[in-house]
Amino acid sequence: LRLLMRRSFPEETRVERWTVVAADEEGAEIEYATIADDGSVEEQPSVSRSTWTELRDHASFPAAYSTREWVSRSTALGDFEGWLYTVAKPDAATVQEFFFVPTLPGAPVQMHILEGEEIIFELEQTARLRPDTE
Protein backbone atom coordinates (compact mmCIF):
# COMPACT_ATOMS: atom_id res chain seq x y z
CA LEU A 1 0.00 0.00 0.00
CA ARG A 2 1.22 3.49 -0.82
CA LEU A 3 -0.29 6.62 0.74
CA LEU A 4 0.27 10.18 -0.41
CA MET A 5 -0.05 12.47 2.59
CA ARG A 6 -0.25 16.28 2.58
CA ARG A 7 1.44 17.64 5.71
CA SER A 8 0.61 21.31 6.37
CA PHE A 9 1.92 23.81 8.88
CA PRO A 10 1.11 27.55 8.76
CA GLU A 11 4.50 28.23 7.13
CA GLU A 12 4.76 25.28 4.70
CA THR A 13 3.00 22.39 3.04
CA ARG A 14 4.66 19.28 1.68
CA VAL A 15 3.60 15.96 0.22
CA GLU A 16 4.97 12.74 1.63
CA ARG A 17 4.78 9.24 0.18
CA TRP A 18 4.39 6.42 2.70
CA THR A 19 4.94 2.94 1.24
CA VAL A 20 4.70 -0.40 3.05
CA VAL A 21 7.78 -2.18 1.70
CA ALA A 22 7.67 -5.31 3.90
CA ALA A 23 5.40 -6.91 6.47
CA ASP A 24 5.53 -10.01 8.63
CA GLU A 25 3.94 -11.42 11.79
CA GLU A 26 5.65 -8.87 14.04
CA GLY A 27 5.24 -5.65 12.07
CA ALA A 28 5.94 -3.67 8.94
CA GLU A 29 8.63 -1.58 7.27
CA ILE A 30 7.43 1.73 5.87
CA GLU A 31 9.40 3.90 3.47
CA TYR A 32 8.92 7.66 3.82
CA ALA A 33 9.78 10.05 1.00
CA THR A 34 9.16 13.77 0.47
CA ILE A 35 7.73 14.48 -2.98
CA ALA A 36 8.49 17.64 -4.98
CA ASP A 37 5.86 19.56 -6.96
CA ASP A 38 6.95 17.78 -10.16
CA GLY A 39 6.40 14.34 -8.54
CA SER A 40 10.08 13.52 -8.04
CA VAL A 41 11.53 12.35 -4.73
CA GLU A 42 13.31 15.31 -3.06
CA GLU A 43 15.87 13.44 -0.99
CA GLN A 44 16.83 9.88 -0.05
CA PRO A 45 13.76 8.07 1.33
CA SER A 46 14.02 6.64 4.85
CA VAL A 47 12.71 3.27 6.01
CA SER A 48 11.35 2.69 9.50
CA ARG A 49 10.24 -0.57 11.09
CA SER A 50 7.34 -0.63 13.57
CA THR A 51 5.66 -3.48 15.35
CA TRP A 52 1.92 -3.96 14.85
CA THR A 53 1.46 -2.95 18.49
CA GLU A 54 3.35 0.33 17.92
CA LEU A 55 1.27 1.10 14.83
CA ARG A 56 -1.98 0.32 16.68
CA ASP A 57 -0.95 2.47 19.64
CA HIS A 58 -0.69 5.55 17.39
CA ALA A 59 -4.50 5.51 17.50
CA SER A 60 -4.73 4.97 21.25
CA PHE A 61 -6.21 8.00 22.97
CA PRO A 62 -6.70 8.62 26.72
CA ALA A 63 -10.38 8.00 27.47
CA ALA A 64 -10.55 10.81 30.05
CA TYR A 65 -9.68 13.43 27.38
CA SER A 66 -11.22 11.92 24.27
CA THR A 67 -14.55 11.80 22.52
CA ARG A 68 -15.64 9.76 19.53
CA GLU A 69 -18.51 10.54 17.19
CA TRP A 70 -19.75 9.25 13.83
CA VAL A 71 -19.56 12.12 11.32
CA SER A 72 -19.61 12.94 7.60
CA ARG A 73 -16.55 14.73 6.24
CA SER A 74 -15.26 15.99 2.91
CA THR A 75 -11.66 14.96 2.36
CA ALA A 76 -9.13 15.02 -0.47
CA LEU A 77 -10.14 11.38 -1.14
CA GLY A 78 -13.87 12.20 -1.31
CA ASP A 79 -16.84 12.44 1.03
CA PHE A 80 -16.94 9.79 3.78
CA GLU A 81 -18.62 8.81 6.99
CA GLY A 82 -16.39 7.67 9.80
CA TRP A 83 -15.17 8.10 13.35
CA LEU A 84 -13.91 11.48 14.51
CA TYR A 85 -11.79 11.25 17.64
CA THR A 86 -11.25 14.53 19.47
CA VAL A 87 -8.51 14.67 22.12
CA ALA A 88 -8.44 17.72 24.39
CA LYS A 89 -6.75 17.80 27.79
CA PRO A 90 -8.42 20.39 30.06
CA ASP A 91 -5.21 22.36 30.64
CA ALA A 92 -3.86 22.14 27.07
CA ALA A 93 -4.06 24.94 24.52
CA THR A 94 -4.45 22.52 21.63
CA VAL A 95 -7.10 20.08 20.45
CA GLN A 96 -6.29 17.11 18.25
CA GLU A 97 -8.79 15.62 15.76
CA PHE A 98 -8.37 12.27 13.98
CA PHE A 99 -10.82 11.13 11.28
CA PHE A 100 -10.81 7.41 10.52
CA VAL A 101 -12.84 5.80 7.71
CA PRO A 102 -13.64 2.13 8.41
CA THR A 103 -13.41 1.17 4.73
CA LEU A 104 -9.91 2.75 4.49
CA PRO A 105 -7.88 0.95 7.17
CA GLY A 106 -4.63 2.32 8.52
CA ALA A 107 -3.62 5.90 9.09
CA PRO A 108 -6.32 8.53 9.71
CA VAL A 109 -7.72 10.07 6.54
CA GLN A 110 -7.44 13.49 8.21
CA MET A 111 -5.70 14.79 11.31
CA HIS A 112 -5.88 18.35 12.65
CA ILE A 113 -4.24 20.10 15.56
CA LEU A 114 -6.05 23.28 16.51
CA GLU A 115 -5.23 26.21 18.77
CA GLY A 116 -8.60 27.79 19.37
CA GLU A 117 -10.25 27.85 15.94
CA GLU A 118 -6.96 27.94 14.00
CA ILE A 119 -5.53 24.79 12.42
CA ILE A 120 -1.80 24.81 13.24
CA PHE A 121 -1.10 21.37 11.74
CA GLU A 122 -2.92 19.18 9.24
CA LEU A 123 -2.14 15.74 7.84
CA GLU A 124 -4.44 14.44 5.12
CA GLN A 125 -4.38 11.47 2.79
CA THR A 126 -4.56 12.63 -0.82
CA ALA A 127 -4.17 9.23 -2.54
CA ARG A 128 -4.15 5.51 -1.73
CA LEU A 129 -2.31 3.43 -4.31
CA ARG A 130 -1.02 -0.06 -4.87
CA PRO A 131 2.62 0.36 -6.01
CA ASP A 132 2.26 -2.46 -8.58
CA THR A 133 -0.58 -0.60 -10.38
CA GLU A 134 0.95 2.89 -10.66
Side-chain angles (χ1 to χ4, degrees):
L1 176 64
R2 177 172 285 170
L3 301 177
L4 292 183
M5 307 291 283
R6 183 177 54 241
R7 182 181 297 263
S8 300
F9 300 90
E11 65 280 354
E12 84 169 302
T13 296
R14 67 177 177 260
V15 174
E16 298 174 352
R17 184 183 69 202
W18 300 0
T19 306
V20 176
V21 294
D24 58 31
E25 291 176 358
E26 277 102 47
E29 290 183 13
I30 302 173
E31 177 188 85
Y32 300 94
T34 301
I35 306 300
D37 291 340
D38 66 2
S40 65
V41 176
E42 286 191 341
E43 48 194 56
Q44 182 68 27
S46 64
V47 176
S48 176
R49 180 161 178 83
S50 298
T51 66
W52 295 119
T53 300
E54 289 168 333
L55 291 170
R56 180 202 65 214
D57 287 351
H58 283 295
S60 178
F61 309 115
Y65 309 121
S66 305
T67 61
R68 181 181 81 156
E69 62 182 312
W70 187 258
V71 300
S72 297
R73 276 231 167 146
S74 293
T75 75
L77 298 177
D79 296 335
F80 294 100
E81 291 188 348
W83 291 110
L84 176 64
Y85 290 80
T86 303
V87 182
K89 293 182 181 177
D91 57 343
T94 60
V95 173
Q96 299 176 31
E97 296 180 336
F98 303 86
F99 180 60
F100 291 92
V101 176
T103 57
L104 303 175
V109 172
Q110 286 180 329
M111 177 191 165
H112 297 127
I113 298 177
L114 300 104
E115 277 186 359
E117 299 294 317
E118 181 183 350
I119 296 174
I120 61 168
F121 175 79
E122 180 176 25
L123 183 68
E124 182 168 26
Q125 291 185 35
T126 60
R128 294 174 65 94
L129 310 163
R130 288 184 37 194
D132 59 341
T133 61
E134 290 180 40

